[in-house]
Amino acid sequence: MIKIIIERRIMPGLEEEYEQAAREAMRWSLGARGFVGGETLVELGHSDRRLMITKWRDMRAWKEWYRSEERNRVMQRIWPLLTEDEVIRAYEPSY
């Protein structure tokens, strides 16, 4: 199992629009093969900063979703709302 951490910064005033687009993206990922679960966090004191933590069966499942037409479609609504490129990091359990 791996975790994908996605950091995003939203343009001021567009937080509600972002939330709607992000919920749609999460709904689509629920149907992705290998998706286990996820959550979205707002940084305390910084309503423009979001952290998404998603769990995937393995890196292959994540890459399949990342390159999918479905993700590309929902990201078309999200990208214009960001002030900078999202930062994506992959983590695996430490043994």
Side-chain angles (χ1 to χ4, degrees):
M1 182 120 23
I2 65 163
K3 288 189 179 180
I4 301 295
I5 310 298
I6 303 171
E7 298 175 38
R8 294 182 179 146
R9 292 198 63 186
I10 303 150
M11 285 189 217
L14 298 178
E15 292 87 358
E16 184 56 39
E17 188 174 342
Y18 170 82
E19 289 298 327
Q20 291 173 1
R23 280 193 292 274
E24 180 182 342
M26 189 61 84
R27 278 195 298 276
W28 277 100
S29 65
L30 291 172
R33 186 176 16 179
F35 180 77
V36 177
E39 65 181 318
T40 301
L41 305 169
V42 179
E43 185 174 331
L44 288 172
H46 298 276
S47 64
D48 64 326
R49 298 180 189 174
R50 298 295 191 283
L51 185 70
M52 296 182 66
I53 303 170
T54 59
K55 290 168 57 171
W56 295 84
R57 180 186 63 235
D58 53 31
M59 184 58 78
R60 183 176 174 192
W62 159 250
K63 286 182 178 181
E64 186 176 303
W65 165 249
Y66 182 78
R67 297 179 182 135
S68 72
E69 181 59 36
E70 292 86 3
R71 183 177 193 275
N72 186 54
R73 186 172 58 252
V74 296
M75 289 304 296
Q76 294 299 320
R77 285 189 59 204
I78 292 176
W79 286 320
L81 306 174
L82 304 180
T83 61
E84 57 194 43
D85 290 341
E86 62 185 0
V87 175
I88 301 174
R89 294 184 180 96
Y91 292 84
E92 63 185 354
S94 172
Y95 299 101

